[in-house]
């Protein structure tokens, strides 16, 4: 068992799993718990106050990705958005084919949804990636068949930070009249996203990955894309997602989008500087599995540290929080499917840890990590 008394605030380098909420987001949310608590679907003033703020949040979200506000569906997070996007789309469009193309390094929300659909008779192609985690556009084009109806590719990978060629994928899917769903959960607030330029038909993300609240996310659905709802009930979200609106979380998500739209450049510069600092600090002890080049978002890295048993390090070091593998694997230390995809012949070593930054990360936190690794390996005593 991990000793929770060792939890150290201010030493957190696992921002790809989740982030600290921005205090400005909390301030925006507060009035909607006890004061403006009305059901946004009610016609009275309490309801309409909530409804007005939800519409405002919808505009804040849409502005961040260059969508229009009636193309935003609020969900409980990216996982739900991905489930709705994938299952809802194939259910509505199976008359046009039953083939889906995705990538072996996608998030489990995508892979598990696709595996489920395979049991229902759909056919799925899982594209391979090269040693740096990139898909090959030619192989992607070759995988397209007459019955292909949907392509699902993430923007930024949550373990290695690789950025996929989204614009080219969008161009090709658009030409071939195939729908394109992009999981942008790690990209929001980190790369500039424009669903129109990139010809993205559906896009998912969660508030908590960019300093917003947990339990709220979005499926952007371009006008004209047909989906079958996966949660039935009331008529909220044009019947696409039933259930009483969670006004505080929606308001918080809108605020997080507004903040990052205005502060993107500062945040990006900060994270890039930290990454360069980290690379220099870790040199000689470990190395980035995927180099920090232009196809890589700087704030998310998996580092290989020879001699470091990553599971023991992550569980027992009280100084700084990092991850081995992604957060969804609940204490079961298995090999990451992402790292495996980069080199299928390599023996699993358990020497990798994931480091990820956000706007609040400091150089001191990085110093703590490097010294924690050094003392774990007894390098400081040499
Ligand atoms: C975190 C994450 C998800 C899932 O988000 P939830 O908030 O857990 O629903 C999906 N895709 C990627 C790339 C992620 O990093």
């Amino acid at each position: 068992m991990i000793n929770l008394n060792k939890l150290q605030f201010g030493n957190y380098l696992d921002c790809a799993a989740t982030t600290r909420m921005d205090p400005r987001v909390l301030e925006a949310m507060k009035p909607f718990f006890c004061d403006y608590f009305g059901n946004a679907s009610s016609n009275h003033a309490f309801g309409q106050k909530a409804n007005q703020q939800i519409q405002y949040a919808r505009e804040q979200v849409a502005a961040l990705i260059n969508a229009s506000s009636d193309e935003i569906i609020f969900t409980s997070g990216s996982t739900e958005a991905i489930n709705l996007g994938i299952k809802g789309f194939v259910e509505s469009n199976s008359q046009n084919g039953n083939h889906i193309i995705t990538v072996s390094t996608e998030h489990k929300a995508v892979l598990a949804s696709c595996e489920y659909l395979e049991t229902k008779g759909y056919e799925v192609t899982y594209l391979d990636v090269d040693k740096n985690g990139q898909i090959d556009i030619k192989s992607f084009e070759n995988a397209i068949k007459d019955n292909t109806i949907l392509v699902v590719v993430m923007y930024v990978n949550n373990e290695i930070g690789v950025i996929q060629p989204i614009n080219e994928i969008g161009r090709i899917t658009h030409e071939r009249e195939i729908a394109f769903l992009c999981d942008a959960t790690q990209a929001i607030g980190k790369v500039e996203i424009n669903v129109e330029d990139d010809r993205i038909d559906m896009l998912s993300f969660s508030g908590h990955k960019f300093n917003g609240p947990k339990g709220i996310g979005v499926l952007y659905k371009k006008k004209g894309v047909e989906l079958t709802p996966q949660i039935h009930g009331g008529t909220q979200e044009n019947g696409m997602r039933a259930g009483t609106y969670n006004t505080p979380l929606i308001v918080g998500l809108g605020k997080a989008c507004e903040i990052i739209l205005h502060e993107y450049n500062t945040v990006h510069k900060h994270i890039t500087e930290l990454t360069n600092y980290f690379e220099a600090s870790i040199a000689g002890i470990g190395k980035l599995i995927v180099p920090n080049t232009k196809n890589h978002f700087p704030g998310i890295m998996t580092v290989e540290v020879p001699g470091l048993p990553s599971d023991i390090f992550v569980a027992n070091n009280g100084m700084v929080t990092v991850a081995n593998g992604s957060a969804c694997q609940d204490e079961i230390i298995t090999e990451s499917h992402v790292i495996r995809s980069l080199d299928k012949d390599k023996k699993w070593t358990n020497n990798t840890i994931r480091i990820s930054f956000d706007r609040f990360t400091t150089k001191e936190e990085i110093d703590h990590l490097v010294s924690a690794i050094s003392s774990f390996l007894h390098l400081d005593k040499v």
Side-chain angles (χ1 to χ4, degrees), residues 19-33 60 207-214 216 247-260 263 359-360:
T19 57
R20 315 147 168 92
M21 201 167 78
D22 191 312
R24 291 172 290 179
V25 171
L26 180 61
E27 282 311 311
M29 291 168 67
K30 273 182 183 167
F32 295 91
F33 287 102
Q60 290 171 310
H208 71 101
K209 300 283 175 88
F210 63 109
N211 311 105
K214 292 176 181 55
I216 184 77
T247 315
L249 294 187
I250 293 173
V251 168
L253 176 68
K255 185 70 184 175
C257 289
E258 184 194 280
I259 291 173
I260 200 64
E263 299 177 7
R359 61 180 307 145
F360 298 124

Side-chain angles (χ1 to χ4, degrees), residues 32 50 60 78 97 121 136-137 182 195 247 266 299 347 356:
F32 295 91
Q60 290 171 310
S78 195
D136 173 53
I137 283 289
C182 178
V195 288
T247 315
T266 331
K347 204 173 146 282
S356 43

Side-chain angles (χ1 to χ4, degrees), residues 242-317:
T244 300
Y245 284 109
N246 194 332
T247 315
L249 294 187
I250 293 173
V251 168
L253 176 68
K255 185 70 184 175
C257 289
E258 184 194 280
I259 291 173
I260 200 64
L261 180 63
H262 293 115
E263 299 177 7
Y264 169 80
N265 286 326
T266 331
V267 172
H268 194 267
K269 187 163 166 276
H270 174 66
I271 291 175
T272 305
E273 274 170 20
L274 288 175
T275 304
N276 294 337
Y277 181 76
F278 173 70
E279 258 196 291
S281 310
I282 199 80
I285 304 173
K287 78 172 205 319
L288 270 56
I289 289 219
V290 171
N292 188 15
T293 57
K294 75 169 183 14
N295 293 328
H296 175 258
F297 169 73
I300 306 172
M301 296 146 284
T302 290
V303 180
E304 184 167 18
V305 182
L308 185 80
S310 70
D311 51 347
I312 299 173
F313 178 75
V314 168
N316 294 320
N317 117 75

Side-chain angles (χ1 to χ4, degrees), residues 16 77-80 82 107 154 156 158 183 185-186 206 208-209:
S78 195
T79 299
E80 187 193 325
I82 288 166
H107 190 271
M154 73 194 337
V156 172
N158 51 307
D183 171 5
T185 316
Q186 293 293 346
S206 276
H208 71 101
K209 300 283 175 88

